[in-house]
Short mmCIF file of all heavy atoms in Angstrom, two decimals:
data_model
loop_
_atom_site.label_atom_id
_atom_site.label_comp_id
_atom_site.label_asym_id
_atom_site.label_seq_id
_atom_site.Cartn_x
_atom_site.Cartn_y
_atom_site.Cartn_z
N LEU S 1212 -18.78 20.30 15.59
CA LEU S 1212 -17.75 19.27 15.70
C LEU S 1212 -18.37 17.93 15.34
O LEU S 1212 -19.35 17.51 15.92
CB LEU S 1212 -17.21 19.25 17.12
CG LEU S 1212 -16.14 18.21 17.43
CD1 LEU S 1212 -14.90 18.49 16.60
CD2 LEU S 1212 -15.80 18.26 18.90
N ALA S 1213 -17.79 17.28 14.36
CA ALA S 1213 -18.31 15.98 13.93
C ALA S 1213 -17.63 14.87 14.71
O ALA S 1213 -16.41 14.83 14.81
CB ALA S 1213 -18.05 15.80 12.44
N TYR S 1214 -18.42 13.99 15.29
CA TYR S 1214 -17.84 12.85 15.99
C TYR S 1214 -17.10 11.98 14.99
O TYR S 1214 -17.50 11.84 13.86
CB TYR S 1214 -18.94 12.05 16.69
CG TYR S 1214 -19.56 12.80 17.84
CD1 TYR S 1214 -20.81 13.37 17.71
CD2 TYR S 1214 -18.87 12.95 19.04
CE1 TYR S 1214 -21.37 14.09 18.74
CE2 TYR S 1214 -19.43 13.66 20.07
CZ TYR S 1214 -20.68 14.23 19.92
OH TYR S 1214 -21.22 14.93 20.95
N GLY S 1215 -16.00 11.39 15.43
CA GLY S 1215 -15.20 10.55 14.56
C GLY S 1215 -14.16 11.33 13.80
O GLY S 1215 -13.24 10.77 13.25
N LYS S 1216 -14.28 12.63 13.72
CA LYS S 1216 -13.30 13.45 13.02
C LYS S 1216 -12.46 14.27 14.00
O LYS S 1216 -11.61 15.02 13.59
CB LYS S 1216 -13.99 14.40 12.04
CG LYS S 1216 -14.65 13.72 10.89
CD LYS S 1216 -13.63 13.16 9.95
CE LYS S 1216 -14.27 12.58 8.72
NZ LYS S 1216 -13.30 11.99 7.83
N PHE S 1217 -12.71 14.11 15.29
CA PHE S 1217 -12.05 14.94 16.28
C PHE S 1217 -10.53 14.80 16.25
O PHE S 1217 -9.81 15.78 16.29
CB PHE S 1217 -12.60 14.60 17.68
CG PHE S 1217 -12.02 15.45 18.76
CD1 PHE S 1217 -12.45 16.76 18.93
CD2 PHE S 1217 -11.03 14.96 19.58
CE1 PHE S 1217 -11.91 17.55 19.92
CE2 PHE S 1217 -10.49 15.74 20.58
CZ PHE S 1217 -10.93 17.04 20.75
N TRP S 1218 -10.03 13.57 16.15
CA TRP S 1218 -8.57 13.36 16.19
C TRP S 1218 -7.94 13.31 14.82
O TRP S 1218 -6.73 13.36 14.69
CB TRP S 1218 -8.24 12.07 16.94
CG TRP S 1218 -8.63 12.15 18.37
CD1 TRP S 1218 -9.66 11.49 18.96
CD2 TRP S 1218 -8.03 12.94 19.40
NE1 TRP S 1218 -9.74 11.82 20.29
CE2 TRP S 1218 -8.74 12.70 20.59
CE3 TRP S 1218 -6.97 13.83 19.43
CZ2 TRP S 1218 -8.42 13.31 21.79
CZ3 TRP S 1218 -6.65 14.43 20.63
CH2 TRP S 1218 -7.37 14.18 21.78
N SER S 1219 -8.70 13.16 13.76
CA SER S 1219 -8.08 13.03 12.44
C SER S 1219 -7.76 14.39 11.86
O SER S 1219 -8.53 15.32 11.98
CB SER S 1219 -9.00 12.25 11.50
OG SER S 1219 -10.14 13.01 11.19
N SER S 1220 -6.60 14.47 11.26
CA SER S 1220 -6.23 15.73 10.63
C SER S 1220 -6.33 15.64 9.11
O SER S 1220 -6.51 16.63 8.46
CB SER S 1220 -4.83 16.15 11.04
OG SER S 1220 -3.89 15.19 10.60
N SER S 1221 -6.21 14.41 8.58
CA SER S 1221 -6.36 14.29 7.14
C SER S 1221 -6.58 12.85 6.74
O SER S 1221 -6.05 11.93 7.34
CB SER S 1221 -5.12 14.83 6.43
OG SER S 1221 -3.98 14.04 6.74
N GLU S 1222 -7.40 12.68 5.74
CA GLU S 1222 -7.59 11.38 5.14
C GLU S 1222 -7.06 11.46 3.72
O GLU S 1222 -7.22 12.48 3.05
CB GLU S 1222 -9.07 10.98 5.13
CG GLU S 1222 -9.57 10.50 6.45
CD GLU S 1222 -10.94 9.84 6.34
OE1 GLU S 1222 -11.64 10.05 5.34
OE2 GLU S 1222 -11.29 9.11 7.26
N VAL S 1223 -6.42 10.40 3.29
CA VAL S 1223 -5.88 10.36 1.94
C VAL S 1223 -6.29 9.05 1.29
O VAL S 1223 -6.56 8.05 1.95
CB VAL S 1223 -4.35 10.50 1.92
CG1 VAL S 1223 -3.92 11.87 2.42
CG2 VAL S 1223 -3.68 9.42 2.74
N SER S 1224 -6.29 9.06 -0.02
CA SER S 1224 -6.64 7.88 -0.80
C SER S 1224 -5.38 7.04 -1.03
O SER S 1224 -4.32 7.57 -1.37
CB SER S 1224 -7.22 8.32 -2.14
OG SER S 1224 -7.51 7.20 -2.94
N VAL S 1225 -5.51 5.74 -0.84
CA VAL S 1225 -4.38 4.83 -1.08
C VAL S 1225 -4.16 4.74 -2.59
O VAL S 1225 -5.08 4.45 -3.35
CB VAL S 1225 -4.68 3.43 -0.51
CG1 VAL S 1225 -3.57 2.45 -0.86
CG2 VAL S 1225 -4.89 3.50 1.00
N PRO S 1226 -2.91 4.99 -3.04
CA PRO S 1226 -2.64 4.90 -4.47
C PRO S 1226 -2.65 3.45 -4.97
O PRO S 1226 -2.39 2.53 -4.20
CB PRO S 1226 -1.25 5.52 -4.63
CG PRO S 1226 -0.65 5.56 -3.28
CD PRO S 1226 -1.75 5.44 -2.29
N ASN S 1227 -2.92 3.28 -6.24
CA ASN S 1227 -2.87 1.96 -6.86
C ASN S 1227 -1.44 1.64 -7.26
O ASN S 1227 -0.85 2.34 -8.08
CB ASN S 1227 -3.76 1.92 -8.10
CG ASN S 1227 -3.82 0.54 -8.72
OD1 ASN S 1227 -3.35 -0.44 -8.15
ND2 ASN S 1227 -4.40 0.46 -9.89
N VAL S 1228 -0.86 0.57 -6.67
CA VAL S 1228 0.50 0.17 -7.02
C VAL S 1228 0.55 -1.22 -7.64
O VAL S 1228 1.63 -1.70 -7.98
CB VAL S 1228 1.44 0.27 -5.80
CG1 VAL S 1228 1.58 1.72 -5.34
CG2 VAL S 1228 0.98 -0.62 -4.66
N VAL S 1229 -0.60 -1.87 -7.80
CA VAL S 1229 -0.64 -3.20 -8.41
C VAL S 1229 -0.14 -3.09 -9.86
O VAL S 1229 -0.57 -2.21 -10.60
CB VAL S 1229 -2.05 -3.81 -8.35
CG1 VAL S 1229 -2.12 -5.11 -9.13
CG2 VAL S 1229 -2.46 -4.03 -6.91
N GLY S 1230 0.77 -3.97 -10.23
CA GLY S 1230 1.35 -3.96 -11.57
C GLY S 1230 2.65 -3.19 -11.65
O GLY S 1230 3.38 -3.29 -12.64
N MET S 1231 2.96 -2.40 -10.62
CA MET S 1231 4.22 -1.66 -10.59
C MET S 1231 5.36 -2.57 -10.13
O MET S 1231 5.13 -3.60 -9.52
CB MET S 1231 4.15 -0.48 -9.61
CG MET S 1231 3.24 0.62 -9.99
SD MET S 1231 3.36 1.94 -8.72
CE MET S 1231 2.19 3.11 -9.36
N THR S 1232 6.59 -2.15 -10.42
CA THR S 1232 7.73 -2.85 -9.84
C THR S 1232 7.75 -2.58 -8.34
O THR S 1232 7.17 -1.59 -7.87
CB THR S 1232 9.06 -2.37 -10.44
OG1 THR S 1232 9.23 -0.98 -10.12
CG2 THR S 1232 9.11 -2.59 -11.94
N LYS S 1233 8.42 -3.43 -7.61
CA LYS S 1233 8.54 -3.24 -6.16
C LYS S 1233 9.18 -1.89 -5.86
O LYS S 1233 8.73 -1.17 -4.98
CB LYS S 1233 9.36 -4.38 -5.55
CG LYS S 1233 9.56 -4.24 -4.06
CD LYS S 1233 10.20 -5.48 -3.45
CE LYS S 1233 11.57 -5.77 -3.96
NZ LYS S 1233 12.25 -6.87 -3.26
N ALA S 1234 10.20 -1.52 -6.62
CA ALA S 1234 10.90 -0.25 -6.39
C ALA S 1234 9.99 0.95 -6.63
O ALA S 1234 9.95 1.88 -5.82
CB ALA S 1234 12.14 -0.16 -7.28
N LEU S 1235 9.24 0.93 -7.72
CA LEU S 1235 8.34 2.05 -8.03
C LEU S 1235 7.20 2.12 -7.01
O LEU S 1235 6.82 3.21 -6.57
CB LEU S 1235 7.79 1.93 -9.45
CG LEU S 1235 6.86 3.07 -9.90
CD1 LEU S 1235 7.55 4.42 -9.78
CD2 LEU S 1235 6.39 2.81 -11.33
N ALA S 1236 6.66 0.96 -6.62
CA ALA S 1236 5.59 0.94 -5.63
C ALA S 1236 6.08 1.50 -4.29
O ALA S 1236 5.38 2.27 -3.63
CB ALA S 1236 5.07 -0.48 -5.43
N THR S 1237 7.29 1.12 -3.90
CA THR S 1237 7.88 1.63 -2.66
C THR S 1237 7.99 3.14 -2.70
O THR S 1237 7.57 3.83 -1.77
CB THR S 1237 9.26 0.99 -2.43
OG1 THR S 1237 9.10 -0.43 -2.30
CG2 THR S 1237 9.93 1.54 -1.18
N THR S 1238 8.53 3.67 -3.78
CA THR S 1238 8.68 5.13 -3.92
C THR S 1238 7.32 5.82 -3.92
O THR S 1238 7.13 6.84 -3.25
CB THR S 1238 9.44 5.46 -5.22
OG1 THR S 1238 10.74 4.86 -5.16
CG2 THR S 1238 9.59 6.96 -5.41
N THR S 1239 6.38 5.27 -4.67
CA THR S 1239 5.03 5.86 -4.77
C THR S 1239 4.37 5.95 -3.40
O THR S 1239 3.82 6.99 -3.02
CB THR S 1239 4.16 5.05 -5.74
OG1 THR S 1239 4.76 5.07 -7.03
CG2 THR S 1239 2.74 5.60 -5.81
N LEU S 1240 4.42 4.84 -2.65
CA LEU S 1240 3.76 4.82 -1.34
C LEU S 1240 4.48 5.71 -0.33
O LEU S 1240 3.84 6.43 0.44
CB LEU S 1240 3.67 3.38 -0.84
CG LEU S 1240 2.71 2.50 -1.63
CD1 LEU S 1240 2.88 1.04 -1.27
CD2 LEU S 1240 1.27 2.95 -1.42
N GLN S 1241 5.80 5.69 -0.33
CA GLN S 1241 6.54 6.54 0.60
C GLN S 1241 6.34 8.01 0.29
O GLN S 1241 6.18 8.82 1.21
CB GLN S 1241 8.03 6.17 0.59
CG GLN S 1241 8.30 4.84 1.24
CD GLN S 1241 9.75 4.39 1.15
OE1 GLN S 1241 10.51 4.86 0.31
NE2 GLN S 1241 10.13 3.47 2.00
N ASN S 1242 6.32 8.37 -0.98
CA ASN S 1242 6.07 9.77 -1.35
C ASN S 1242 4.67 10.23 -0.97
O ASN S 1242 4.45 11.42 -0.76
CB ASN S 1242 6.31 9.98 -2.85
CG ASN S 1242 7.77 9.96 -3.22
OD1 ASN S 1242 8.65 10.04 -2.36
ND2 ASN S 1242 8.05 9.82 -4.50
N ALA S 1243 3.73 9.29 -0.89
CA ALA S 1243 2.35 9.61 -0.49
C ALA S 1243 2.20 9.60 1.03
O ALA S 1243 1.12 9.84 1.55
CB ALA S 1243 1.38 8.64 -1.13
N GLY S 1244 3.29 9.28 1.76
CA GLY S 1244 3.26 9.32 3.22
C GLY S 1244 2.90 8.02 3.90
O GLY S 1244 2.60 8.01 5.09
N PHE S 1245 2.93 6.91 3.16
CA PHE S 1245 2.57 5.62 3.73
C PHE S 1245 3.79 4.83 4.16
O PHE S 1245 4.85 4.91 3.54
CB PHE S 1245 1.80 4.78 2.71
CG PHE S 1245 0.42 5.29 2.41
CD1 PHE S 1245 0.20 6.14 1.35
CD2 PHE S 1245 -0.64 4.93 3.22
CE1 PHE S 1245 -1.07 6.63 1.09
CE2 PHE S 1245 -1.92 5.41 2.97
CZ PHE S 1245 -2.13 6.27 1.90
N GLY S 1246 3.61 4.04 5.22
CA GLY S 1246 4.58 3.03 5.57
C GLY S 1246 4.36 1.86 4.62
O GLY S 1246 3.37 1.80 3.89
N LEU S 1247 5.26 0.89 4.65
CA LEU S 1247 5.20 -0.19 3.68
C LEU S 1247 5.59 -1.51 4.31
O LEU S 1247 6.56 -1.59 5.06
CB LEU S 1247 6.15 0.14 2.53
CG LEU S 1247 6.21 -0.81 1.36
CD1 LEU S 1247 4.89 -0.86 0.62
CD2 LEU S 1247 7.31 -0.38 0.41
N VAL S 1248 4.82 -2.55 4.02
CA VAL S 1248 5.14 -3.92 4.40
C VAL S 1248 5.17 -4.71 3.10
O VAL S 1248 4.22 -4.67 2.33
CB VAL S 1248 4.09 -4.51 5.36
CG1 VAL S 1248 4.43 -5.96 5.68
CG2 VAL S 1248 3.99 -3.68 6.63
N ILE S 1249 6.28 -5.41 2.84
CA ILE S 1249 6.43 -6.16 1.60
C ILE S 1249 6.50 -7.65 1.92
O ILE S 1249 7.27 -8.07 2.78
CB ILE S 1249 7.71 -5.75 0.85
CG1 ILE S 1249 7.68 -4.26 0.52
CG2 ILE S 1249 7.89 -6.59 -0.42
CD1 ILE S 1249 8.99 -3.73 -0.04
N SER S 1250 5.69 -8.44 1.22
CA SER S 1250 5.79 -9.89 1.33
C SER S 1250 5.97 -10.46 -0.07
O SER S 1250 5.48 -9.90 -1.05
CB SER S 1250 4.57 -10.49 2.03
OG SER S 1250 3.42 -10.30 1.26
N THR S 1251 6.69 -11.58 -0.15
CA THR S 1251 6.94 -12.23 -1.42
C THR S 1251 6.08 -13.48 -1.52
O THR S 1251 5.97 -14.24 -0.57
CB THR S 1251 8.43 -12.60 -1.55
OG1 THR S 1251 9.20 -11.41 -1.38
CG2 THR S 1251 8.74 -13.20 -2.90
N THR S 1252 5.49 -13.69 -2.69
CA THR S 1252 4.62 -14.83 -2.92
C THR S 1252 5.19 -15.69 -4.03
O THR S 1252 5.48 -15.17 -5.12
CB THR S 1252 3.21 -14.34 -3.32
OG1 THR S 1252 2.68 -13.56 -2.27
CG2 THR S 1252 2.29 -15.50 -3.60
N PRO S 1253 5.36 -16.99 -3.78
CA PRO S 1253 5.82 -17.88 -4.86
C PRO S 1253 4.79 -17.88 -6.01
O PRO S 1253 3.60 -18.00 -5.76
CB PRO S 1253 5.89 -19.26 -4.21
CG PRO S 1253 5.88 -19.01 -2.75
CD PRO S 1253 5.15 -17.72 -2.54
N SER S 1254 5.27 -17.72 -7.22
CA SER S 1254 4.35 -17.65 -8.34
C SER S 1254 5.06 -17.95 -9.64
O SER S 1254 6.15 -17.44 -9.89
CB SER S 1254 3.73 -16.26 -8.41
OG SER S 1254 2.92 -16.15 -9.55
N THR S 1255 4.44 -18.75 -10.47
CA THR S 1255 4.95 -18.98 -11.83
C THR S 1255 4.26 -18.06 -12.82
O THR S 1255 4.73 -17.87 -13.92
CB THR S 1255 4.72 -20.43 -12.28
OG1 THR S 1255 3.34 -20.73 -12.17
CG2 THR S 1255 5.52 -21.40 -11.44
N LEU S 1256 3.14 -17.47 -12.40
CA LEU S 1256 2.36 -16.64 -13.30
C LEU S 1256 2.74 -15.17 -13.26
O LEU S 1256 2.41 -14.41 -14.17
CB LEU S 1256 0.86 -16.78 -12.97
CG LEU S 1256 0.29 -18.19 -13.06
CD1 LEU S 1256 -1.15 -18.20 -12.60
CD2 LEU S 1256 0.41 -18.74 -14.47
N ASP S 1257 3.40 -14.77 -12.20
CA ASP S 1257 3.72 -13.35 -12.02
C ASP S 1257 5.21 -13.11 -12.18
O ASP S 1257 6.03 -13.91 -11.75
CB ASP S 1257 3.26 -12.89 -10.63
CG ASP S 1257 1.77 -13.08 -10.44
OD1 ASP S 1257 1.01 -12.44 -11.19
OD2 ASP S 1257 1.39 -13.86 -9.57
N LYS S 1258 5.54 -12.00 -12.79
CA LYS S 1258 6.94 -11.64 -12.99
C LYS S 1258 7.59 -11.29 -11.66
O LYS S 1258 6.94 -10.78 -10.75
CB LYS S 1258 7.06 -10.46 -13.95
CG LYS S 1258 6.61 -10.79 -15.35
CD LYS S 1258 6.77 -9.58 -16.26
CE LYS S 1258 6.26 -9.90 -17.64
NZ LYS S 1258 6.33 -8.74 -18.52
N LYS S 1259 8.88 -11.53 -11.59
CA LYS S 1259 9.65 -11.23 -10.38
C LYS S 1259 9.59 -9.74 -10.07
O LYS S 1259 9.75 -8.90 -10.97
CB LYS S 1259 11.09 -11.68 -10.56
CG LYS S 1259 11.93 -11.48 -9.33
CD LYS S 1259 13.33 -12.01 -9.51
CE LYS S 1259 14.12 -11.65 -8.29
NZ LYS S 1259 14.98 -12.68 -7.84
N ASP S 1260 9.38 -9.43 -8.79
CA ASP S 1260 9.38 -8.05 -8.28
C ASP S 1260 8.27 -7.16 -8.83
O ASP S 1260 8.41 -5.93 -8.84
CB ASP S 1260 10.74 -7.39 -8.47
CG ASP S 1260 11.81 -8.02 -7.60
OD1 ASP S 1260 11.46 -8.58 -6.55
OD2 ASP S 1260 13.00 -7.93 -7.95
N ILE S 1261 7.17 -7.76 -9.26
CA ILE S 1261 6.00 -6.99 -9.68
C ILE S 1261 4.92 -7.15 -8.62
O ILE S 1261 4.65 -8.25 -8.15
CB ILE S 1261 5.46 -7.48 -11.05
CG1 ILE S 1261 6.53 -7.31 -12.15
CG2 ILE S 1261 4.17 -6.76 -11.42
CD1 ILE S 1261 6.93 -5.87 -12.42
N VAL S 1262 4.30 -6.03 -8.22
CA VAL S 1262 3.26 -6.06 -7.20
C VAL S 1262 2.03 -6.76 -7.76
O VAL S 1262 1.51 -6.37 -8.80
CB VAL S 1262 2.90 -4.64 -6.72
CG1 VAL S 1262 1.78 -4.68 -5.69
CG2 VAL S 1262 4.13 -3.93 -6.15
N ILE S 1263 1.57 -7.81 -7.04
CA ILE S 1263 0.41 -8.56 -7.50
C ILE S 1263 -0.85 -8.27 -6.69
O ILE S 1263 -1.95 -8.56 -7.13
CB ILE S 1263 0.69 -10.08 -7.55
CG1 ILE S 1263 1.14 -10.61 -6.20
CG2 ILE S 1263 1.72 -10.38 -8.62
CD1 ILE S 1263 1.38 -12.10 -6.15
N SER S 1264 -0.68 -7.70 -5.49
CA SER S 1264 -1.84 -7.28 -4.70
C SER S 1264 -1.40 -6.28 -3.65
O SER S 1264 -0.21 -6.14 -3.35
CB SER S 1264 -2.52 -8.48 -4.03
OG SER S 1264 -1.69 -9.04 -3.04
N GLN S 1265 -2.39 -5.58 -3.09
CA GLN S 1265 -2.12 -4.61 -2.04
C GLN S 1265 -3.28 -4.58 -1.08
O GLN S 1265 -4.41 -4.90 -1.43
CB GLN S 1265 -1.86 -3.23 -2.62
CG GLN S 1265 -3.10 -2.55 -3.20
CD GLN S 1265 -2.80 -1.18 -3.76
OE1 GLN S 1265 -2.13 -1.06 -4.77
NE2 GLN S 1265 -3.29 -0.15 -3.09
N ASP S 1266 -2.98 -4.20 0.16
CA ASP S 1266 -4.00 -4.07 1.21
C ASP S 1266 -3.62 -2.90 2.10
O ASP S 1266 -2.53 -2.91 2.67
CB ASP S 1266 -4.09 -5.35 2.02
CG ASP S 1266 -5.18 -5.29 3.09
OD1 ASP S 1266 -6.24 -4.69 2.80
OD2 ASP S 1266 -4.97 -5.82 4.18
N PRO S 1267 -4.47 -1.88 2.22
CA PRO S 1267 -5.81 -1.75 1.65
C PRO S 1267 -5.75 -1.52 0.13
O PRO S 1267 -4.72 -1.11 -0.41
CB PRO S 1267 -6.39 -0.54 2.38
CG PRO S 1267 -5.25 0.23 2.90
CD PRO S 1267 -4.13 -0.75 3.09
N ILE S 1268 -6.89 -1.78 -0.51
CA ILE S 1268 -6.97 -1.64 -1.95
C ILE S 1268 -6.91 -0.16 -2.35
O ILE S 1268 -7.18 0.73 -1.55
CB ILE S 1268 -8.23 -2.31 -2.52
CG1 ILE S 1268 -9.49 -1.65 -1.97
CG2 ILE S 1268 -8.22 -3.80 -2.27
CD1 ILE S 1268 -10.77 -2.12 -2.64
N ALA S 1269 -6.56 0.05 -3.59
CA ALA S 1269 -6.47 1.41 -4.13
C ALA S 1269 -7.79 2.14 -3.97
O ALA S 1269 -8.86 1.56 -4.13
CB ALA S 1269 -6.08 1.36 -5.60
N GLY S 1270 -7.70 3.41 -3.62
CA GLY S 1270 -8.89 4.24 -3.48
C GLY S 1270 -9.47 4.27 -2.08
O GLY S 1270 -10.32 5.10 -1.78
N THR S 1271 -9.00 3.36 -1.22
CA THR S 1271 -9.48 3.36 0.17
C THR S 1271 -9.01 4.65 0.85
O THR S 1271 -7.86 5.04 0.72
CB THR S 1271 -8.91 2.14 0.93
OG1 THR S 1271 -9.31 0.95 0.26
CG2 THR S 1271 -9.39 2.12 2.37
N MET S 1272 -9.92 5.30 1.56
CA MET S 1272 -9.56 6.50 2.30
C MET S 1272 -9.06 6.10 3.69
O MET S 1272 -9.75 5.36 4.39
CB MET S 1272 -10.76 7.44 2.43
CG MET S 1272 -11.28 7.95 1.10
SD MET S 1272 -10.05 8.87 0.14
CE MET S 1272 -9.88 10.35 1.12
N VAL S 1273 -7.86 6.54 4.04
CA VAL S 1273 -7.28 6.19 5.34
C VAL S 1273 -6.80 7.45 6.04
O VAL S 1273 -6.42 8.43 5.42
CB VAL S 1273 -6.11 5.18 5.20
CG1 VAL S 1273 -6.60 3.86 4.66
CG2 VAL S 1273 -4.99 5.74 4.35
N ASN S 1274 -6.80 7.39 7.35
CA ASN S 1274 -6.32 8.48 8.18
C ASN S 1274 -4.80 8.44 8.22
O ASN S 1274 -4.22 7.39 8.44
CB ASN S 1274 -6.91 8.33 9.58
CG ASN S 1274 -6.69 9.55 10.43
OD1 ASN S 1274 -5.80 10.33 10.17
ND2 ASN S 1274 -7.52 9.70 11.44
N GLN S 1275 -4.15 9.55 8.02
CA GLN S 1275 -2.70 9.62 8.00
C GLN S 1275 -2.08 9.94 9.36
O GLN S 1275 -0.90 10.22 9.43
CB GLN S 1275 -2.22 10.66 6.98
CG GLN S 1275 -2.28 10.20 5.56
CD GLN S 1275 -1.28 9.11 5.21
OE1 GLN S 1275 -1.62 8.23 4.49
NE2 GLN S 1275 -0.09 9.13 5.68
N VAL S 1276 -2.85 9.92 10.43
CA VAL S 1276 -2.30 10.22 11.75
C VAL S 1276 -2.55 9.03 12.66
O VAL S 1276 -3.69 8.78 13.02
CB VAL S 1276 -2.96 11.49 12.35
CG1 VAL S 1276 -2.40 11.78 13.72
CG2 VAL S 1276 -2.76 12.66 11.42
N PRO S 1277 -1.59 8.23 13.09
CA PRO S 1277 -0.22 8.26 12.55
C PRO S 1277 -0.19 7.68 11.15
O PRO S 1277 -1.20 7.17 10.67
CB PRO S 1277 0.54 7.38 13.53
CG PRO S 1277 -0.47 6.41 14.03
CD PRO S 1277 -1.78 7.17 14.07
N ALA S 1278 0.98 7.68 10.53
CA ALA S 1278 1.10 7.19 9.15
C ALA S 1278 0.58 5.77 9.03
O ALA S 1278 0.89 4.91 9.83
CB ALA S 1278 2.56 7.27 8.71
N SER S 1279 -0.23 5.54 8.02
CA SER S 1279 -0.78 4.21 7.75
C SER S 1279 0.21 3.41 6.92
O SER S 1279 1.03 3.97 6.20
CB SER S 1279 -2.09 4.34 6.99
OG SER S 1279 -3.03 5.02 7.77
N SER S 1280 0.08 2.10 6.99
CA SER S 1280 0.93 1.23 6.17
C SER S 1280 0.09 0.53 5.12
O SER S 1280 -1.08 0.25 5.31
CB SER S 1280 1.61 0.17 7.04
OG SER S 1280 2.60 0.75 7.85
N VAL S 1281 0.74 0.24 4.00
CA VAL S 1281 0.14 -0.54 2.93
C VAL S 1281 0.98 -1.81 2.80
O VAL S 1281 2.20 -1.75 2.78
CB VAL S 1281 0.13 0.23 1.60
CG1 VAL S 1281 -0.39 -0.63 0.46
CG2 VAL S 1281 -0.69 1.51 1.73
N THR S 1282 0.30 -2.95 2.74
CA THR S 1282 0.98 -4.21 2.53
C THR S 1282 0.89 -4.57 1.05
O THR S 1282 -0.19 -4.52 0.47
CB THR S 1282 0.33 -5.34 3.36
OG1 THR S 1282 0.42 -4.99 4.75
CG2 THR S 1282 1.01 -6.67 3.13
N ILE S 1283 2.06 -4.86 0.45
CA ILE S 1283 2.05 -5.29 -0.94
C ILE S 1283 2.61 -6.71 -1.02
O ILE S 1283 3.48 -7.10 -0.25
CB ILE S 1283 2.86 -4.34 -1.86
CG1 ILE S 1283 4.34 -4.26 -1.45
CG2 ILE S 1283 2.23 -2.97 -1.90
CD1 ILE S 1283 5.22 -3.49 -2.41
N LYS S 1284 2.06 -7.49 -1.95
CA LYS S 1284 2.59 -8.83 -2.25
C LYS S 1284 3.26 -8.76 -3.60
O LYS S 1284 2.70 -8.23 -4.56
CB LYS S 1284 1.48 -9.87 -2.25
CG LYS S 1284 0.97 -10.17 -0.87
CD LYS S 1284 0.04 -11.35 -0.86
CE LYS S 1284 -0.43 -11.58 0.57
NZ LYS S 1284 -1.35 -12.69 0.66
N VAL S 1285 4.49 -9.31 -3.64
CA VAL S 1285 5.30 -9.25 -4.83
C VAL S 1285 5.58 -10.68 -5.29
O VAL S 1285 5.96 -11.52 -4.47
CB VAL S 1285 6.63 -8.51 -4.53
CG1 VAL S 1285 7.52 -8.46 -5.74
CG2 VAL S 1285 6.34 -7.11 -4.00
N GLY S 1286 5.42 -10.94 -6.59
CA GLY S 1286 5.74 -12.26 -7.12
C GLY S 1286 7.24 -12.49 -7.14
O GLY S 1286 8.01 -11.57 -7.38
N ASP S 1287 7.64 -13.76 -6.88
CA ASP S 1287 9.08 -14.06 -6.92
C ASP S 1287 9.52 -14.63 -8.26
O ASP S 1287 10.70 -14.71 -8.54
CB ASP S 1287 9.48 -14.98 -5.77
CG ASP S 1287 8.92 -16.39 -5.88
OD1 ASP S 1287 8.26 -16.71 -6.88
OD2 ASP S 1287 9.17 -17.17 -4.96
N GLY S 1288 8.54 -15.01 -9.10
CA GLY S 1288 8.86 -15.51 -10.44
C GLY S 1288 9.68 -16.77 -10.45
O GLY S 1288 10.34 -17.08 -11.44
N LEU S 1289 9.68 -17.54 -9.37
CA LEU S 1289 10.57 -18.70 -9.25
C LEU S 1289 9.90 -20.04 -9.52
O LEU S 1289 10.58 -21.00 -9.88
CB LEU S 1289 11.21 -18.73 -7.86
CG LEU S 1289 12.14 -17.57 -7.54
CD1 LEU S 1289 12.67 -17.69 -6.13
CD2 LEU S 1289 13.28 -17.47 -8.53
N LEU S 1290 8.63 -20.19 -9.29
CA LEU S 1290 8.00 -21.51 -9.47
C LEU S 1290 7.71 -21.80 -10.93
O LEU S 1290 7.45 -20.96 -11.70
CB LEU S 1290 6.70 -21.59 -8.67
CG LEU S 1290 6.86 -21.68 -7.17
CD1 LEU S 1290 5.49 -21.78 -6.51
CD2 LEU S 1290 7.69 -22.87 -6.75
#
């Protein structure tokens, strides 16, 4: 029995959603079993509803028990 693995049933890699539309990123993360937190960032450089960052970053291994959440920042394209 490995310590630290006693309660975990599975670890999964966080998918990369940067550059996706908010809708596609939402579907991608939900289909992978993640919860989602969306925040909007004022930006003149980023297109509206395009993911500009995520936390945790893509490739991070996270425990899925209970379901983990990924926070994405989406440009508003308004400034």
Side-chain angles (χ1 to χ4, degrees):
L1212 178 64
Y1214 292 104
K1216 293 289 185 182
F1217 183 76
W1218 295 109
S1219 69
S1220 62
S1221 65
E1222 283 192 341
V1223 295
S1224 178
V1225 175
N1227 184 10
V1228 296
V1229 174
M1231 292 183 181
T1232 63
K1233 179 172 63 173
L1235 182 57
T1237 298
T1238 300
T1239 299
L1240 291 168
Q1241 288 175 340
N1242 287 346
F1245 290 94
L1247 183 64
V1248 177
I1249 301 172
S1250 65
T1251 303
T1252 300
S1254 175
T1255 56
L1256 301 175
D1257 300 298
K1258 294 180 182 177
K1259 183 177 175 139
D1260 291 335
I1261 299 297
V1262 178
I1263 57 177
S1264 67
Q1265 71 180 70
D1266 182 37
I1268 62 171
T1271 302
M1272 298 301 291
V1273 296
N1274 192 338
Q1275 283 291 141
V1276 179
S1279 298
S1280 289
V1281 175
T1282 300
I1283 61 173
K1284 288 189 180 179
V1285 178
D1287 68 3
L1289 296 178
L1290 288 181

